[in-house]
Amino acid sequence: MPGDISAEQFDRALRRTAQKLSAYLGGVGRFPVLPRVEPGDISGALPEDPPARGEDLGVILDDYERLIEPNVTHWNHPGFMAYFAISGSAPGVIGEALTAGLNVNAMKWQSSPAATELELTVCGWLRSMVGLPAAFRGHINDTASTSTLLALAAARHRKFPAVRQSGAGAGGDLCVYASEQAHSSVDKGAMVLGFGLDHVRHIAVNEHFEMRAQALRRAVETDLASGKVPLAVVATVGTTSTTSVDPVAAVAEICREHELWLHVDAAYAGSAAVCSELRPLLEGWQLADSIVLNPHKWLFTPVDCSVLFVRDLAQWQDAFALVPAYLRSSEEGSLDLMDLGFQLGRRFRALKLWMVIRAFGVEGLAERIREHCRLARELSSWIDASPHFERLAPVPFSAVCFRARFAGATPEEEDRLNQRLMAAVNAEGSVFITQTKLNERFVLRAAIGNIKTTLDHVEALWRLLEDSAAQLRD
């Protein structure tokens, strides 16, 4: 018969799924962080054609256990120290499951009142938790890449409102500024919006990989003198490679002088402001026009969940609001979230963030972030004390950039040896680290941010690094 599966089948499968998730989250450490598969192994084990008739959910879950669960990269593994962690904490996983069951589209207040109002409320909570002024209003997107794209589009609208009707040509040669260490989403945003990569200025950084404010000023003045139109600056609080912090207050002053939009990328490090002692590291971000902070990076909320704070909400709505006849409604006093971006379909992402904040509390979240920073300082101290390793960047938060030293090796040879070192460490299975490039050199990078990572896991990484580097020296 047409229709959904029976309630009995659903209940049986859901119970098994709950048990499976609980066992997985509780025992994910038994897996190697990186699955031991080659490209094509998984697709080769899957049928080439879809089933003509429906299959039992129990059989499908068997295949999930056999083919899928062991063969993902385990971001929830306590030894995951690559990229930036996106821990799916238990409260967040519950919220995600409930979100799937509700299956609402939070595009309008009418389309889901609770989803709309919870999103606005929980973003208000987060704003207060990190100490931002009450003028900021928050809403949730999927990732920081989307949030940054929206910020650049809003910046263009503020400077050239005619672009909305007449097209991109109404703005002239628009230029965007960000440091050499800024995330690639700035460049992608310029590509998508038609500014062009030639109009993205990558500003030089100092020895701590922080944007040089005077270099920014010179770049803006040079563009003005040549007839180009400076539009926006993206300052980063917690860069992807080193977690360095741009001098936001000095950047904000330049933006004020030249009427430039200031967007702050705090996707990673913004969560650190939950800790009062870390909040001074972000000084100046309150001067921005827009700020992005990703709870799915360091607030233990399952991916995806990116909060975008906006200073002037009415101006922001002017850039994006477009209401066709079939979406008009008569409610007064409500905000339709679809008016804050280009997306019409919007997942109910606020539910999982609400559950995470309530389950851990502000103090509990701060304790976990504080501990990650402590673990990073521990690892950094071992590196600093070792004659066989060197640290390449400061450690303001919970990521450490370093490399092994090999006596007599050229810089190029050391690059190759550090690549081999990283491969050996990751192949062991208990940890996963990645790399970056600083001053044209290959650099190892360990980012501590998983909710279950302890000192034992960091010590295991250090032993692996020492042992593997020693083997490469023999």
Side-chain angles (χ1 to χ4, degrees):
M1 291 289 293
D4 209 338
I5 65 171
S6 70
E8 292 77 13
Q9 288 176 298
F10 179 63
D11 184 67
R12 187 166 57 249
L14 195 59
R15 289 176 184 272
R16 180 176 170 187
T17 300
Q19 292 170 350
K20 169 51 61 182
L21 280 173
S22 179
Y24 174 74
L25 291 174
V28 65
R30 72 184 186 278
F31 292 105
V33 188
L34 288 171
R36 296 189 171 107
V37 292
E38 298 295 330
D41 285 354
I42 298 155
S43 57
L46 297 170
E48 191 170 320
D49 299 310
R53 300 180 64 83
E55 298 179 275
D56 183 80
L57 279 173
V59 174
I60 299 170
L61 286 171
D62 288 342
D63 284 346
Y64 163 82
E65 292 183 6
R66 178 175 61 90
L67 292 173
I68 308 304
E69 185 177 282
N71 293 321
V72 299
T73 296
H74 296 281
W75 288 69
N76 267 337
H77 196 294
F80 187 103
M81 302 180 204
Y83 315 117
F84 285 126
I86 51 170
S87 301
S89 66
V93 170
I94 294 169
E96 189 73 86
L98 293 172
T99 296
L102 290 174
N103 194 39
V104 300
N105 186 344
M107 59 183 180
K108 291 177 59 64
W109 183 89
Q110 184 186 56
S111 69
S112 189
T116 298
E117 296 189 19
L118 185 64
E119 181 164 330
L120 297 175
T121 298
V122 80
C123 288
W125 284 5
L126 183 59
R127 178 202 56 74
S128 175
M129 288 163 58
V130 299
L132 286 171
F136 283 99
R137 299 286 297 277
H139 64 279
I140 303 177
N141 296 298
D142 51 0
T143 66
S145 296
T146 294
S147 295
T148 296
L149 176 69
L150 291 171
L152 294 177
R156 181 175 62 183
H157 176 79
R158 183 175 74 176
K159 201 170 192 74
F160 299 104
V163 168
R164 176 184 172 106
Q165 189 68 36
S166 304
D173 288 336
L174 305 181
C175 296
V176 175
Y177 306 82
S179 91
E180 295 172 340
Q181 294 292 313
H183 192 267
S184 60
S185 59
V186 179
D187 298 77
K188 282 198 173 185
M191 289 164 50
V192 170
L193 291 169
F195 303 159
L197 291 175
D198 287 346
H199 291 83
V200 180
R201 308 291 186 245
H202 295 108
I203 307 302
V205 296
N206 62 19
E207 67 276 15
H208 300 305
F209 306 101
E210 304 156 343
M211 183 193 294
R212 294 181 183 272
Q214 288 308 310
L216 171 65
R217 183 183 296 278
R218 287 194 297 271
V220 170
E221 292 173 350
T222 297
D223 282 332
L224 283 168
S226 64
K228 293 183 172 56
V229 183
L231 176 69
V233 179
V234 179
T236 309
V237 173
T239 55
T240 303
S241 288
T242 65
T243 71
S244 298
V245 178
D246 288 338
V248 185
V251 170
E253 177 62 21
I254 296 168
C255 290
R256 186 193 63 78
E257 290 175 16
H258 295 284
E259 298 183 335
L260 308 180
W261 185 283
L262 175 57
H263 176 64
V264 169
D265 178 355
Y268 158 71
S271 298
V274 173
C275 302
S276 58
E277 72 275 18
L278 296 177
R279 198 172 292 175
L281 294 175
L282 286 72
E283 180 56 36
W285 72 328
Q286 74 278 4
L287 303 172
D289 296 289
S290 55
I291 302 169
V292 61
L293 187 165
N294 284 3
H296 73 227
K297 278 195 168 70
W298 209 8
L299 277 181
F300 320 118
T301 303
V303 67
D304 50 26
C305 184
S306 176
V307 175
L308 179 60
F309 292 106
V310 176
R311 179 179 293 280
D312 189 333
L313 187 65
Q315 185 182 75
W316 188 274
Q317 286 176 280
D318 286 343
F320 299 108
L322 179 69
V323 185
Y326 51 81
L327 289 177
R328 290 174 189 159
S329 53
S330 58
E331 301 89 18
E332 294 184 3
S334 64
L335 175 65
D336 291 336
L337 295 170
M338 70 178 191
D339 292 341
L340 304 182
F342 54 78
Q343 311 98 320
L344 183 57
R346 301 182 83 261
R347 296 182 64 241
F348 188 5
R349 295 183 178 92
L351 184 59
K352 57 189 174 184
L353 179 56
W354 180 63
M355 295 192 77
V356 167
I357 294 173
R358 291 190 64 185
F360 294 115
V362 179
E363 292 181 3
L365 292 169
E367 287 171 2
R368 288 160 173 82
I369 291 171
R370 194 174 286 125
E371 174 65 4
H372 289 159
C373 293
R374 186 189 74 82
L375 294 177
R377 290 193 299 271
E378 282 287 311
L379 176 60
S380 179
S381 70
W382 302 334
I383 292 167
D384 290 344
S386 172
H388 302 302
F389 288 84
E390 61 179 333
R391 181 166 50 87
L392 278 300
V395 184
F397 301 108
S398 69
V400 186
C401 293
F402 62 99
R403 57 192 270 131
R405 301 171 65 181
F406 296 90
T410 67
E412 292 75 17
E413 289 170 340
E414 278 204 329
D415 283 351
R416 289 192 291 272
L417 287 165
N418 274 278
Q419 290 181 51
R420 290 173 59 189
L421 173 59
M422 184 181 74
V425 167
N426 289 341
E428 190 273 343
S430 64
V431 297
F432 176 32
I433 60 173
T434 46
Q435 80 292 329
T436 189
K437 183 175 280 191
L438 298 175
N439 296 323
E440 300 305 315
R441 296 271 68 88
F442 183 92
V443 176
L444 303 175
R445 181 180 173 281
I448 300 166
N450 187 282
I451 196 168
K452 293 182 178 178
T453 299
T454 66
L455 182 60
D456 288 344
H457 302 104
V458 180
E459 288 177 335
L461 168 64
W462 181 239
R463 287 194 299 270
L464 267 172
L465 286 164
E466 287 190 306
D467 293 346
S468 300
Q471 291 176 23
L472 287 171
R473 291 188 184 94
D474 291 343

